[in-house]
Amino acid sequence: MLACSPVANLIEFQAWGFCTALIACSLYKSDKYDSRDVERLQQDDKWVENYLIWRHDVVDDTLKMIDESFQWRKEYTVNDLTESVLPKWLFENGALFLHGYDKEGYKLFWFRVKHHTRDPKQQLEKKKLVAFWLEHYAKRDHGKPLTVVFDMAETGISHIDLDFVRFIVNCFTDYYPNFLTKIVIFEMPWIMNAAFKIVKGWLGPDAISMLKFTNKNDVQEYISGEYLPPHMGGTDSFKYSYPPLVDDDFQTPLCENGPITSEDEHESKEEIDVDTKETGELNEEQNLNQKKMNSVEQISKSEETDKTEIKPKNAKKALSTFKGPLLHISPAEELYFGSKETGEKKCLIVLTNVTKNIVAFKVRTTAPEKYRVKPSNSSCEPGTSLDIIVSLHGGFAASLQDRFLIMAAEMDQSSGAGVPELTQFWKEVPRTKVMEHRLRCHVIESSKPSSLTLKENAFNIPAKTNEDLHLQLTHLLQINKRLQEQIDRCLWFQQLSVVLSLLSVTVVAFCFYLAYTQRS
């Protein structure tokens, strides 16, 4: 039975830890925490899971970390840190920024040590800048872990600031759970060896193993040359500047809505014909499903008949959905592609309009030469769902560093939805009214062909894994429900016990009083 498996036991333990964390937080005084953090803890299971993972599923240690990190978050007003709150010179300095990815697809958090100067008067503002970047990325990329790079080229004693380094370390060990993959230290001067022995003392055993001391000869074991500056032996021409905030370079993908012209013209035309057929069948089924929708949140597709050869077979409801104010987007975080060997080149994004107006959307990618997106610039009617097909072009393979950006904005009822109207709309719409959501790529490595293509699964997730995850998720929800019922019963019995105890004390006291008066 599933309930007896190690996976189920872990899920049950985590569910219990989740409930325990909520109870513990409710016992503390509310003025110790920001109410927004408490609310997020109650709603974001992934956040709670990260706390548990980072504290090795030890609930007492997890609760202690939650308590300490929540107090720190309130002290540093983390939820209110914005560009306008922090001094402009902090961003212009270029000592801290996010840029590029390591070989495993994790974002790089750069600390250019030579641009940092030790100044006690500015220390708090610099620490808040660290908190700003971490919170900015955590919310934007759904808690995806970071790789920290200490670029110590051209540094010396004047740049040593152990208090600031300790703060950065504490952010990952105490305040942002499961948020660190490794710390890459580039060309640390020998004079700083003693200082970093102190730093190692602040790190736990797990964090110490994440330290990677590198130089120009071996840094590319962790970061490819395309994201390394020339002084580190790379080819990245990126030059930090502000404003605006550093971001990925999202561009329009190939084949936005029209035909393709390329060296792979013959192959592309064949794929376009297939895509057209797929899109027609998808839209036909979508229209049938829309008549049966009971709410705008329904985004799954019905199971196909055996006669259909191109439409996904045994398509299942997506297990992950990002619920934005304008669109619900599925999958929520990752697009699954195969490696060059497996040949899996397509996946599906489903958008659902949850507003009462037309929503215009655009899809952008950091690798426009690799991908075709159909459609990449269109609109979605109120209360309907729309399928976007993402496919790799020619002989390209997906990479862990590839990212997609979905931009959406609500249109007036009077606005048209044609190409000219959409073009003009995107020129005029204020940035503050644009919803943005990012998706990263996940590459499935397999020694034999698997069924991850659009033809096999609508959400590009292996059918067996999808089924197992669905069962585990259902089981977890059932466990949470039972635990909540048990907690409610325990609280009721506790209250009843208190009342009965008070009654017993009252009765005993009254009996003593009667005995005393009779003797008198």
Side-chain angles (χ1 to χ4, degrees), residues 97-103 105-111 137 145-149 181-182 184 222-224 226-229 232 236 246 403:
F97 57 89
L98 294 162
H99 172 68
Y101 299 91
D102 68 8
K103 285 191 170 181
Y106 296 111
K107 192 74 174 179
L108 299 176
F109 184 40
W110 292 84
F111 180 23
Y137 178 74
L146 289 165
T147 291
V148 179
V149 182
T181 61
K182 61 180 109 24
V184 178
Y222 309 104
I223 306 169
S224 60
E226 64 178 313
Y227 290 118
L228 289 174
M232 296 176 72
D236 190 0
V246 179
R403 297 293 189 272

PDB file of all heavy atoms in Angstrom, residues 97-103 105-111 137 145-149 181-182 184 222-224 226-229 232 236 246 403:
ATOM      1  N   PHE A  97      24.606  41.654  -7.830  1.00  0.00           N
ATOM      2  CA  PHE A  97      23.591  41.586  -8.879  1.00  0.00           C
ATOM      3  C   PHE A  97      23.375  40.128  -9.278  1.00  0.00           C
ATOM      4  O   PHE A  97      24.183  39.241  -8.967  1.00  0.00           O
ATOM      5  CB  PHE A  97      23.984  42.413 -10.100  1.00  0.00           C
ATOM      6  CG  PHE A  97      25.300  42.039 -10.725  1.00  0.00           C
ATOM      7  CD1 PHE A  97      25.370  41.071 -11.720  1.00  0.00           C
ATOM      8  CD2 PHE A  97      26.481  42.646 -10.309  1.00  0.00           C
ATOM      9  CE1 PHE A  97      26.585  40.714 -12.298  1.00  0.00           C
ATOM     10  CE2 PHE A  97      27.699  42.309 -10.883  1.00  0.00           C
ATOM     11  CZ  PHE A  97      27.750  41.340 -11.878  1.00  0.00           C
ATOM     12  N   LEU A  98      22.284  39.882  -9.982  1.00  0.00           N
ATOM     13  CA  LEU A  98      21.948  38.565 -10.517  1.00  0.00           C
ATOM     14  C   LEU A  98      22.200  38.569 -12.019  1.00  0.00           C
ATOM     15  O   LEU A  98      21.727  39.464 -12.721  1.00  0.00           O
ATOM     16  CB  LEU A  98      20.476  38.230 -10.247  1.00  0.00           C
ATOM     17  CG  LEU A  98      20.061  38.034  -8.785  1.00  0.00           C
ATOM     18  CD1 LEU A  98      18.555  38.142  -8.645  1.00  0.00           C
ATOM     19  CD2 LEU A  98      20.527  36.680  -8.283  1.00  0.00           C
ATOM     20  N   HIS A  99      22.922  37.569 -12.488  1.00  0.00           N
ATOM     21  CA  HIS A  99      23.166  37.488 -13.931  1.00  0.00           C
ATOM     22  C   HIS A  99      23.681  36.101 -14.301  1.00  0.00           C
ATOM     23  O   HIS A  99      24.603  35.579 -13.680  1.00  0.00           O
ATOM     24  CB  HIS A  99      24.191  38.530 -14.379  1.00  0.00           C
ATOM     25  CG  HIS A  99      24.621  38.356 -15.807  1.00  0.00           C
ATOM     26  ND1 HIS A  99      23.772  38.564 -16.877  1.00  0.00           N
ATOM     27  CD2 HIS A  99      25.813  37.970 -16.345  1.00  0.00           C
ATOM     28  CE1 HIS A  99      24.420  38.318 -17.998  1.00  0.00           C
ATOM     29  NE2 HIS A  99      25.656  37.953 -17.719  1.00  0.00           N
ATOM     30  N   GLY A 100      23.076  35.515 -15.341  1.00  0.00           N
ATOM     31  CA  GLY A 100      23.556  34.256 -15.888  1.00  0.00           C
ATOM     32  C   GLY A 100      23.175  33.033 -15.068  1.00  0.00           C
ATOM     33  O   GLY A 100      22.494  33.127 -14.041  1.00  0.00           O
ATOM     34  N   TYR A 101      23.655  31.871 -15.521  1.00  0.00           N
ATOM     35  CA  TYR A 101      23.314  30.595 -14.895  1.00  0.00           C
ATOM     36  C   TYR A 101      24.544  29.698 -14.843  1.00  0.00           C
ATOM     37  O   TYR A 101      25.451  29.803 -15.674  1.00  0.00           O
ATOM     38  CB  TYR A 101      22.206  29.887 -15.695  1.00  0.00           C
ATOM     39  CG  TYR A 101      20.934  30.682 -15.772  1.00  0.00           C
ATOM     40  CD1 TYR A 101      20.714  31.580 -16.821  1.00  0.00           C
ATOM     41  CD2 TYR A 101      19.949  30.571 -14.794  1.00  0.00           C
ATOM     42  CE1 TYR A 101      19.549  32.321 -16.890  1.00  0.00           C
ATOM     43  CE2 TYR A 101      18.783  31.304 -14.860  1.00  0.00           C
ATOM     44  CZ  TYR A 101      18.584  32.186 -15.907  1.00  0.00           C
ATOM     45  OH  TYR A 101      17.448  32.934 -15.965  1.00  0.00           O
ATOM     46  N   ASP A 102      24.552  28.801 -13.851  1.00  0.00           N
ATOM     47  CA  ASP A 102      25.637  27.819 -13.815  1.00  0.00           C
ATOM     48  C   ASP A 102      25.280  26.647 -14.720  1.00  0.00           C
ATOM     49  O   ASP A 102      24.244  26.657 -15.408  1.00  0.00           O
ATOM     50  CB  ASP A 102      25.933  27.374 -12.374  1.00  0.00           C
ATOM     51  CG  ASP A 102      24.790  26.563 -11.761  1.00  0.00           C
ATOM     52  OD1 ASP A 102      23.834  26.203 -12.485  1.00  0.00           O
ATOM     53  OD2 ASP A 102      24.835  26.288 -10.559  1.00  0.00           O
ATOM     54  N   LYS A 103      26.108  25.619 -14.750  1.00  0.00           N
ATOM     55  CA  LYS A 103      25.894  24.503 -15.672  1.00  0.00           C
ATOM     56  C   LYS A 103      24.669  23.668 -15.332  1.00  0.00           C
ATOM     57  O   LYS A 103      24.165  22.917 -16.167  1.00  0.00           O
ATOM     58  CB  LYS A 103      27.147  23.602 -15.696  1.00  0.00           C
ATOM     59  CG  LYS A 103      28.303  24.207 -16.467  1.00  0.00           C
ATOM     60  CD  LYS A 103      29.413  23.193 -16.696  1.00  0.00           C
ATOM     61  CE  LYS A 103      30.445  23.732 -17.679  1.00  0.00           C
ATOM     62  NZ  LYS A 103      31.522  22.748 -17.943  1.00  0.00           N
ATOM     63  N   GLY A 105      21.854  25.079 -14.414  1.00  0.00           N
ATOM     64  CA  GLY A 105      20.680  25.916 -14.660  1.00  0.00           C
ATOM     65  C   GLY A 105      20.281  26.793 -13.495  1.00  0.00           C
ATOM     66  O   GLY A 105      19.190  27.381 -13.512  1.00  0.00           O
ATOM     67  N   TYR A 106      21.130  26.927 -12.467  1.00  0.00           N
ATOM     68  CA  TYR A 106      20.806  27.774 -11.317  1.00  0.00           C
ATOM     69  C   TYR A 106      21.310  29.197 -11.557  1.00  0.00           C
ATOM     70  O   TYR A 106      22.407  29.412 -12.075  1.00  0.00           O
ATOM     71  CB  TYR A 106      21.427  27.212 -10.040  1.00  0.00           C
ATOM     72  CG  TYR A 106      20.879  25.862  -9.658  1.00  0.00           C
ATOM     73  CD1 TYR A 106      21.675  24.711  -9.744  1.00  0.00           C
ATOM     74  CD2 TYR A 106      19.564  25.708  -9.239  1.00  0.00           C
ATOM     75  CE1 TYR A 106      21.174  23.465  -9.412  1.00  0.00           C
ATOM     76  CE2 TYR A 106      19.051  24.465  -8.900  1.00  0.00           C
ATOM     77  CZ  TYR A 106      19.861  23.354  -8.986  1.00  0.00           C
ATOM     78  OH  TYR A 106      19.358  22.119  -8.653  1.00  0.00           O
ATOM     79  N   LYS A 107      20.513  30.161 -11.144  1.00  0.00           N
ATOM     80  CA  LYS A 107      20.861  31.570 -11.313  1.00  0.00           C
ATOM     81  C   LYS A 107      22.110  31.914 -10.511  1.00  0.00           C
ATOM     82  O   LYS A 107      22.325  31.388  -9.413  1.00  0.00           O
ATOM     83  CB  LYS A 107      19.696  32.442 -10.835  1.00  0.00           C
ATOM     84  CG  LYS A 107      19.817  33.907 -11.232  1.00  0.00           C
ATOM     85  CD  LYS A 107      19.532  34.098 -12.701  1.00  0.00           C
ATOM     86  CE  LYS A 107      19.502  35.562 -13.092  1.00  0.00           C
ATOM     87  NZ  LYS A 107      19.248  35.748 -14.521  1.00  0.00           N
ATOM     88  N   LEU A 108      22.938  32.808 -11.074  1.00  0.00           N
ATOM     89  CA  LEU A 108      24.175  33.236 -10.414  1.00  0.00           C
ATOM     90  C   LEU A 108      23.945  34.548  -9.676  1.00  0.00           C
ATOM     91  O   LEU A 108      23.457  35.523 -10.254  1.00  0.00           O
ATOM     92  CB  LEU A 108      25.290  33.416 -11.443  1.00  0.00           C
ATOM     93  CG  LEU A 108      25.692  32.174 -12.243  1.00  0.00           C
ATOM     94  CD1 LEU A 108      26.743  32.540 -13.294  1.00  0.00           C
ATOM     95  CD2 LEU A 108      26.224  31.081 -11.328  1.00  0.00           C
ATOM     96  N   PHE A 109      24.299  34.560  -8.386  1.00  0.00           N
ATOM     97  CA  PHE A 109      24.229  35.759  -7.557  1.00  0.00           C
ATOM     98  C   PHE A 109      25.660  36.239  -7.335  1.00  0.00           C
ATOM     99  O   PHE A 109      26.414  35.622  -6.596  1.00  0.00           O
ATOM    100  CB  PHE A 109      23.530  35.443  -6.233  1.00  0.00           C
ATOM    101  CG  PHE A 109      23.330  36.642  -5.350  1.00  0.00           C
ATOM    102  CD1 PHE A 109      22.965  37.869  -5.877  1.00  0.00           C
ATOM    103  CD2 PHE A 109      23.488  36.539  -3.980  1.00  0.00           C
ATOM    104  CE1 PHE A 109      22.768  38.971  -5.056  1.00  0.00           C
ATOM    105  CE2 PHE A 109      23.285  37.631  -3.147  1.00  0.00           C
ATOM    106  CZ  PHE A 109      22.924  38.847  -3.692  1.00  0.00           C
ATOM    107  N   TRP A 110      26.030  37.317  -8.009  1.00  0.00           N
ATOM    108  CA  TRP A 110      27.409  37.790  -8.022  1.00  0.00           C
ATOM    109  C   TRP A 110      27.682  38.765  -6.885  1.00  0.00           C
ATOM    110  O   TRP A 110      26.902  39.671  -6.626  1.00  0.00           O
ATOM    111  CB  TRP A 110      27.723  38.487  -9.348  1.00  0.00           C
ATOM    112  CG  TRP A 110      27.740  37.578 -10.535  1.00  0.00           C
ATOM    113  CD1 TRP A 110      26.670  37.171 -11.279  1.00  0.00           C
ATOM    114  CD2 TRP A 110      28.891  36.960 -11.116  1.00  0.00           C
ATOM    115  NE1 TRP A 110      27.077  36.334 -12.287  1.00  0.00           N
ATOM    116  CE2 TRP A 110      28.437  36.196 -12.222  1.00  0.00           C
ATOM    117  CE3 TRP A 110      30.243  36.980 -10.836  1.00  0.00           C
ATOM    118  CZ2 TRP A 110      29.292  35.457 -13.025  1.00  0.00           C
ATOM    119  CZ3 TRP A 110      31.111  36.251 -11.638  1.00  0.00           C
ATOM    120  CH2 TRP A 110      30.637  35.500 -12.713  1.00  0.00           C
ATOM    121  N   PHE A 111      28.830  38.561  -6.232  1.00  0.00           N
ATOM    122  CA  PHE A 111      29.353  39.522  -5.271  1.00  0.00           C
ATOM    123  C   PHE A 111      30.740  39.920  -5.761  1.00  0.00           C
ATOM    124  O   PHE A 111      31.713  39.211  -5.562  1.00  0.00           O
ATOM    125  CB  PHE A 111      29.413  38.915  -3.864  1.00  0.00           C
ATOM    126  CG  PHE A 111      29.947  39.870  -2.816  1.00  0.00           C
ATOM    127  CD1 PHE A 111      29.897  41.242  -2.985  1.00  0.00           C
ATOM    128  CD2 PHE A 111      30.518  39.377  -1.651  1.00  0.00           C
ATOM    129  CE1 PHE A 111      30.382  42.109  -2.027  1.00  0.00           C
ATOM    130  CE2 PHE A 111      31.015  40.235  -0.676  1.00  0.00           C
ATOM    131  CZ  PHE A 111      30.952  41.607  -0.874  1.00  0.00           C
ATOM    132  N   TYR A 137      14.360  37.719  -6.361  1.00  0.00           N
ATOM    133  CA  TYR A 137      14.508  36.495  -7.152  1.00  0.00           C
ATOM    134  C   TYR A 137      13.603  35.375  -6.635  1.00  0.00           C
ATOM    135  O   TYR A 137      13.014  34.631  -7.426  1.00  0.00           O
ATOM    136  CB  TYR A 137      15.962  36.033  -7.132  1.00  0.00           C
ATOM    137  CG  TYR A 137      16.180  34.741  -7.883  1.00  0.00           C
ATOM    138  CD1 TYR A 137      16.171  34.721  -9.266  1.00  0.00           C
ATOM    139  CD2 TYR A 137      16.354  33.540  -7.201  1.00  0.00           C
ATOM    140  CE1 TYR A 137      16.353  33.539  -9.970  1.00  0.00           C
ATOM    141  CE2 TYR A 137      16.527  32.355  -7.903  1.00  0.00           C
ATOM    142  CZ  TYR A 137      16.526  32.358  -9.276  1.00  0.00           C
ATOM    143  OH  TYR A 137      16.682  31.187  -9.959  1.00  0.00           O
ATOM    144  N   PRO A 145      16.670  27.629  -6.301  1.00  0.00           N
ATOM    145  CA  PRO A 145      17.923  27.941  -5.598  1.00  0.00           C
ATOM    146  C   PRO A 145      18.912  28.744  -6.437  1.00  0.00           C
ATOM    147  O   PRO A 145      18.835  28.778  -7.670  1.00  0.00           O
ATOM    148  CB  PRO A 145      18.486  26.554  -5.247  1.00  0.00           C
ATOM    149  CG  PRO A 145      17.321  25.646  -5.272  1.00  0.00           C
ATOM    150  CD  PRO A 145      16.407  26.184  -6.331  1.00  0.00           C
ATOM    151  N   LEU A 146      19.851  29.356  -5.729  1.00  0.00           N
ATOM    152  CA  LEU A 146      20.871  30.204  -6.338  1.00  0.00           C
ATOM    153  C   LEU A 146      22.264  29.591  -6.189  1.00  0.00           C
ATOM    154  O   LEU A 146      22.504  28.799  -5.278  1.00  0.00           O
ATOM    155  CB  LEU A 146      20.900  31.577  -5.658  1.00  0.00           C
ATOM    156  CG  LEU A 146      19.745  32.547  -5.897  1.00  0.00           C
ATOM    157  CD1 LEU A 146      19.795  33.657  -4.867  1.00  0.00           C
ATOM    158  CD2 LEU A 146      19.824  33.133  -7.292  1.00  0.00           C
ATOM    159  N   THR A 147      23.165  30.006  -7.057  1.00  0.00           N
ATOM    160  CA  THR A 147      24.588  29.758  -6.877  1.00  0.00           C
ATOM    161  C   THR A 147      25.260  31.101  -6.610  1.00  0.00           C
ATOM    162  O   THR A 147      25.102  32.035  -7.404  1.00  0.00           O
ATOM    163  CB  THR A 147      25.203  29.102  -8.124  1.00  0.00           C
ATOM    164  OG1 THR A 147      24.708  27.771  -8.252  1.00  0.00           O
ATOM    165  CG2 THR A 147      26.722  29.049  -8.022  1.00  0.00           C
ATOM    166  N   VAL A 148      25.952  31.212  -5.500  1.00  0.00           N
ATOM    167  CA  VAL A 148      26.616  32.468  -5.133  1.00  0.00           C
ATOM    168  C   VAL A 148      28.044  32.454  -5.661  1.00  0.00           C
ATOM    169  O   VAL A 148      28.763  31.459  -5.511  1.00  0.00           O
ATOM    170  CB  VAL A 148      26.626  32.662  -3.603  1.00  0.00           C
ATOM    171  CG1 VAL A 148      27.351  33.959  -3.227  1.00  0.00           C
ATOM    172  CG2 VAL A 148      25.197  32.690  -3.066  1.00  0.00           C
ATOM    173  N   VAL A 149      28.439  33.545  -6.310  1.00  0.00           N
ATOM    174  CA  VAL A 149      29.800  33.668  -6.842  1.00  0.00           C
ATOM    175  C   VAL A 149      30.493  34.833  -6.133  1.00  0.00           C
ATOM    176  O   VAL A 149      30.071  35.987  -6.263  1.00  0.00           O
ATOM    177  CB  VAL A 149      29.803  33.911  -8.361  1.00  0.00           C
ATOM    178  CG1 VAL A 149      31.241  33.986  -8.870  1.00  0.00           C
ATOM    179  CG2 VAL A 149      29.044  32.812  -9.087  1.00  0.00           C
ATOM    180  N   THR A 181      22.760  26.416  -3.690  1.00  0.00           N
ATOM    181  CA  THR A 181      23.292  25.189  -4.297  1.00  0.00           C
ATOM    182  C   THR A 181      24.790  25.062  -4.046  1.00  0.00           C
ATOM    183  O   THR A 181      25.282  23.994  -3.711  1.00  0.00           O
ATOM    184  CB  THR A 181      23.035  25.170  -5.814  1.00  0.00           C
ATOM    185  OG1 THR A 181      23.686  26.289  -6.431  1.00  0.00           O
ATOM    186  CG2 THR A 181      21.548  25.238  -6.104  1.00  0.00           C
ATOM    187  N   LYS A 182      25.508  26.166  -4.216  1.00  0.00           N
ATOM    188  CA  LYS A 182      26.952  26.164  -3.989  1.00  0.00           C
ATOM    189  C   LYS A 182      27.462  27.588  -3.889  1.00  0.00           C
ATOM    190  O   LYS A 182      26.791  28.536  -4.326  1.00  0.00           O
ATOM    191  CB  LYS A 182      27.684  25.398  -5.101  1.00  0.00           C
ATOM    192  CG  LYS A 182      27.505  25.965  -6.471  1.00  0.00           C
ATOM    193  CD  LYS A 182      28.242  25.162  -7.506  1.00  0.00           C
ATOM    194  CE  LYS A 182      27.465  24.353  -8.457  1.00  0.00           C
ATOM    195  NZ  LYS A 182      26.132  24.600  -8.812  1.00  0.00           N
ATOM    196  N   VAL A 184      30.724  29.566  -5.138  1.00  0.00           N
ATOM    197  CA  VAL A 184      31.920  29.523  -5.971  1.00  0.00           C
ATOM    198  C   VAL A 184      32.793  30.722  -5.609  1.00  0.00           C
ATOM    199  O   VAL A 184      32.390  31.879  -5.774  1.00  0.00           O
ATOM    200  CB  VAL A 184      31.564  29.552  -7.469  1.00  0.00           C
ATOM    201  CG1 VAL A 184      32.829  29.553  -8.319  1.00  0.00           C
ATOM    202  CG2 VAL A 184      30.683  28.362  -7.828  1.00  0.00           C
ATOM    203  N   TYR A 222      32.023  24.539 -13.074  1.00  0.00           N
ATOM    204  CA  TYR A 222      30.735  24.886 -12.468  1.00  0.00           C
ATOM    205  C   TYR A 222      29.938  25.882 -13.305  1.00  0.00           C
ATOM    206  O   TYR A 222      28.705  25.859 -13.292  1.00  0.00           O
ATOM    207  CB  TYR A 222      30.960  25.473 -11.072  1.00  0.00           C
ATOM    208  CG  TYR A 222      31.838  24.609 -10.198  1.00  0.00           C
ATOM    209  CD1 TYR A 222      33.163  24.952  -9.957  1.00  0.00           C
ATOM    210  CD2 TYR A 222      31.348  23.426  -9.654  1.00  0.00           C
ATOM    211  CE1 TYR A 222      33.982  24.143  -9.168  1.00  0.00           C
ATOM    212  CE2 TYR A 222      32.153  22.614  -8.871  1.00  0.00           C
ATOM    213  CZ  TYR A 222      33.468  22.978  -8.635  1.00  0.00           C
ATOM    214  OH  TYR A 222      34.273  22.171  -7.867  1.00  0.00           O
ATOM    215  N   ILE A 223      30.629  26.770 -14.026  1.00  0.00           N
ATOM    216  CA  ILE A 223      29.958  27.802 -14.816  1.00  0.00           C
ATOM    217  C   ILE A 223      30.560  27.791 -16.219  1.00  0.00           C
ATOM    218  O   ILE A 223      31.777  27.864 -16.376  1.00  0.00           O
ATOM    219  CB  ILE A 223      30.141  29.200 -14.185  1.00  0.00           C
ATOM    220  CG1 ILE A 223      29.693  29.190 -12.716  1.00  0.00           C
ATOM    221  CG2 ILE A 223      29.363  30.256 -14.961  1.00  0.00           C
ATOM    222  CD1 ILE A 223      30.088  30.436 -11.951  1.00  0.00           C
ATOM    223  N   SER A 224      29.711  27.694 -17.231  1.00  0.00           N
ATOM    224  CA  SER A 224      30.224  27.669 -18.606  1.00  0.00           C
ATOM    225  C   SER A 224      30.744  29.046 -19.003  1.00  0.00           C
ATOM    226  O   SER A 224      30.341  30.077 -18.446  1.00  0.00           O
ATOM    227  CB  SER A 224      29.126  27.213 -19.569  1.00  0.00           C
ATOM    228  OG  SER A 224      28.025  28.102 -19.523  1.00  0.00           O
ATOM    229  N   GLU A 226      30.162  31.022 -21.390  1.00  0.00           N
ATOM    230  CA  GLU A 226      29.251  32.045 -21.905  1.00  0.00           C
ATOM    231  C   GLU A 226      28.708  32.951 -20.812  1.00  0.00           C
ATOM    232  O   GLU A 226      28.214  34.049 -21.099  1.00  0.00           O
ATOM    233  CB  GLU A 226      28.075  31.381 -22.634  1.00  0.00           C
ATOM    234  CG  GLU A 226      27.185  30.518 -21.758  1.00  0.00           C
ATOM    235  CD  GLU A 226      26.015  29.943 -22.523  1.00  0.00           C
ATOM    236  OE1 GLU A 226      25.341  30.703 -23.253  1.00  0.00           O
ATOM    237  OE2 GLU A 226      25.772  28.723 -22.390  1.00  0.00           O
ATOM    238  N   TYR A 227      28.804  32.520 -19.538  1.00  0.00           N
ATOM    239  CA  TYR A 227      28.346  33.355 -18.427  1.00  0.00           C
ATOM    240  C   TYR A 227      29.499  33.802 -17.530  1.00  0.00           C
ATOM    241  O   TYR A 227      29.261  34.247 -16.402  1.00  0.00           O
ATOM    242  CB  TYR A 227      27.301  32.606 -17.603  1.00  0.00           C
ATOM    243  CG  TYR A 227      25.988  32.437 -18.326  1.00  0.00           C
ATOM    244  CD1 TYR A 227      25.490  31.172 -18.636  1.00  0.00           C
ATOM    245  CD2 TYR A 227      25.248  33.546 -18.730  1.00  0.00           C
ATOM    246  CE1 TYR A 227      24.298  31.015 -19.314  1.00  0.00           C
ATOM    247  CE2 TYR A 227      24.049  33.400 -19.413  1.00  0.00           C
ATOM    248  CZ  TYR A 227      23.586  32.133 -19.699  1.00  0.00           C
ATOM    249  OH  TYR A 227      22.392  31.985 -20.377  1.00  0.00           O
ATOM    250  N   LEU A 228      30.730  33.696 -18.028  1.00  0.00           N
ATOM    251  CA  LEU A 228      31.889  34.157 -17.276  1.00  0.00           C
ATOM    252  C   LEU A 228      32.513  35.352 -17.992  1.00  0.00           C
ATOM    253  O   LEU A 228      32.682  35.330 -19.208  1.00  0.00           O
ATOM    254  CB  LEU A 228      32.939  33.044 -17.154  1.00  0.00           C
ATOM    255  CG  LEU A 228      32.614  31.872 -16.230  1.00  0.00           C
ATOM    256  CD1 LEU A 228      33.684  30.805 -16.358  1.00  0.00           C
ATOM    257  CD2 LEU A 228      32.496  32.331 -14.781  1.00  0.00           C
ATOM    258  N   PRO A 229      32.885  36.407 -17.254  1.00  0.00           N
ATOM    259  CA  PRO A 229      33.542  37.554 -17.884  1.00  0.00           C
ATOM    260  C   PRO A 229      34.946  37.172 -18.339  1.00  0.00           C
ATOM    261  O   PRO A 229      35.509  36.162 -17.886  1.00  0.00           O
ATOM    262  CB  PRO A 229      33.578  38.594 -16.758  1.00  0.00           C
ATOM    263  CG  PRO A 229      33.510  37.801 -15.495  1.00  0.00           C
ATOM    264  CD  PRO A 229      32.681  36.601 -15.807  1.00  0.00           C
ATOM    265  N   MET A 232      37.737  36.026 -16.026  1.00  0.00           N
ATOM    266  CA  MET A 232      37.585  34.707 -15.427  1.00  0.00           C
ATOM    267  C   MET A 232      37.756  33.601 -16.471  1.00  0.00           C
ATOM    268  O   MET A 232      37.474  32.439 -16.201  1.00  0.00           O
ATOM    269  CB  MET A 232      36.219  34.590 -14.732  1.00  0.00           C
ATOM    270  CG  MET A 232      36.044  35.545 -13.563  1.00  0.00           C
ATOM    271  SD  MET A 232      34.397  35.490 -12.796  1.00  0.00           S
ATOM    272  CE  MET A 232      34.453  33.909 -11.934  1.00  0.00           C
ATOM    273  N   ASP A 236      31.633  36.110 -21.818  1.00  0.00           N
ATOM    274  CA  ASP A 236      30.444  36.923 -21.576  1.00  0.00           C
ATOM    275  C   ASP A 236      30.803  38.411 -21.697  1.00  0.00           C
ATOM    276  O   ASP A 236      31.637  38.920 -20.946  1.00  0.00           O
ATOM    277  CB  ASP A 236      29.884  36.628 -20.183  1.00  0.00           C
ATOM    278  CG  ASP A 236      28.517  37.260 -19.959  1.00  0.00           C
ATOM    279  OD1 ASP A 236      28.013  37.920 -20.891  1.00  0.00           O
ATOM    280  OD2 ASP A 236      27.958  37.091 -18.865  1.00  0.00           O
ATOM    281  N   VAL A 246      19.153  44.475 -13.604  1.00  0.00           N
ATOM    282  CA  VAL A 246      19.652  43.432 -14.502  1.00  0.00           C
ATOM    283  C   VAL A 246      18.601  42.337 -14.640  1.00  0.00           C
ATOM    284  O   VAL A 246      18.002  41.907 -13.658  1.00  0.00           O
ATOM    285  CB  VAL A 246      20.958  42.825 -13.948  1.00  0.00           C
ATOM    286  CG1 VAL A 246      21.463  41.717 -14.869  1.00  0.00           C
ATOM    287  CG2 VAL A 246      22.006  43.910 -13.808  1.00  0.00           C
ATOM    288  N   ARG A 403      15.077  30.197 -20.652  1.00  0.00           N
ATOM    289  CA  ARG A 403      13.938  30.704 -19.892  1.00  0.00           C
ATOM    290  C   ARG A 403      12.884  31.255 -20.844  1.00  0.00           C
ATOM    291  O   ARG A 403      13.189  31.718 -21.945  1.00  0.00           O
ATOM    292  CB  ARG A 403      14.360  31.822 -18.924  1.00  0.00           C
ATOM    293  CG  ARG A 403      15.337  31.400 -17.831  1.00  0.00           C
ATOM    294  CD  ARG A 403      14.685  30.437 -16.847  1.00  0.00           C
ATOM    295  NE  ARG A 403      15.514  30.167 -15.684  1.00  0.00           N
ATOM    296  CZ  ARG A 403      16.433  29.223 -15.595  1.00  0.00           C
ATOM    297  NH1 ARG A 403      16.682  28.465 -16.670  1.00  0.00           N
ATOM    298  NH2 ARG A 403      17.113  29.016 -14.492  1.00  0.00           N
TER     299      ARG A 403
END
